[in-house]
Amino acid sequence: MEVTGRRGWDRVWSLRAPFGAAAALTAAVTFLAVVDPHEPGHYPVCPLYYLSGLYCPGCGALRAVHDLAHADLAGAARMNLLFVFCVPVVITLWARWALRSWQGRPTRPDIARPAYLWGLLVVAAVFTVVRNTPLGQFLAP
């Protein structure tokens, strides 16, 4: 569904936010690809892990990004499986955002709906609990 009356440059201009976000993310991934988080001392330790010895849902995500940037899917999954599963979802949401911006449609993200946010919170909480139990040791980075 296209909004009538939009000219070519209006369409291109409407893509500045999605492509700006993509450029910033690309820069961050490039930095993580170059500066290896597997080597100690390059990045700070997770505060939750430092204070309690427990892994948060994001622990291992920097190393997972580094591994994905080097096309090591198995290594990324060993570092943070939840993050690896979230990557295609984030790419899909970004593509929908860019398409809706191009079409001139409202760009309210579907993920902002309360049911999705609560579901994401529950998945992250379960992942955190399981990865900190002996049964879920394979989920720990």
Side-chain angles (χ1 to χ4, degrees):
M1 307 220 31
E2 188 175 324
V3 175
T4 58
R6 293 188 72 213
R7 304 225 185 251
W9 282 110
D10 290 338
R11 288 175 179 250
V12 172
W13 188 251
S14 68
L15 293 174
R16 69 188 182 280
F19 280 95
L25 187 61
T26 300
V29 169
T30 302
F31 181 79
L32 280 167
V34 173
V35 182
D36 189 359
H38 292 283
E39 295 179 19
H42 286 162
Y43 299 97
V45 177
C46 171
L48 180 68
Y49 182 74
Y50 180 75
L51 294 173
S52 67
L54 299 173
Y55 297 112
C56 76
C59 281
L62 291 178
R63 289 172 281 185
V65 171
H66 175 81
D67 291 341
L68 286 174
H70 290 275
D72 182 8
L73 184 60
R78 280 191 304 272
M79 292 296 110
N80 192 320
L81 188 61
L82 180 62
F83 177 82
V84 172
F85 279 122
C86 287
V87 169
V89 173
V90 169
I91 291 170
T92 302
L93 290 172
W94 178 87
R96 289 186 65 204
W97 178 27
L99 178 64
R100 291 175 73 85
S101 294
W102 175 260
Q103 293 171 339
R105 295 168 60 196
T107 58
R108 178 188 54 103
D110 291 334
I111 195 75
R113 293 183 181 158
Y116 290 144
L117 293 176
W118 281 107
L120 182 62
L121 183 64
V122 167
V123 167
V126 168
F127 179 72
T128 302
V129 169
V130 171
R131 80 187 313 201
N132 285 295
T133 62
L135 180 66
Q137 280 297 311
F138 69 96
L139 294 173

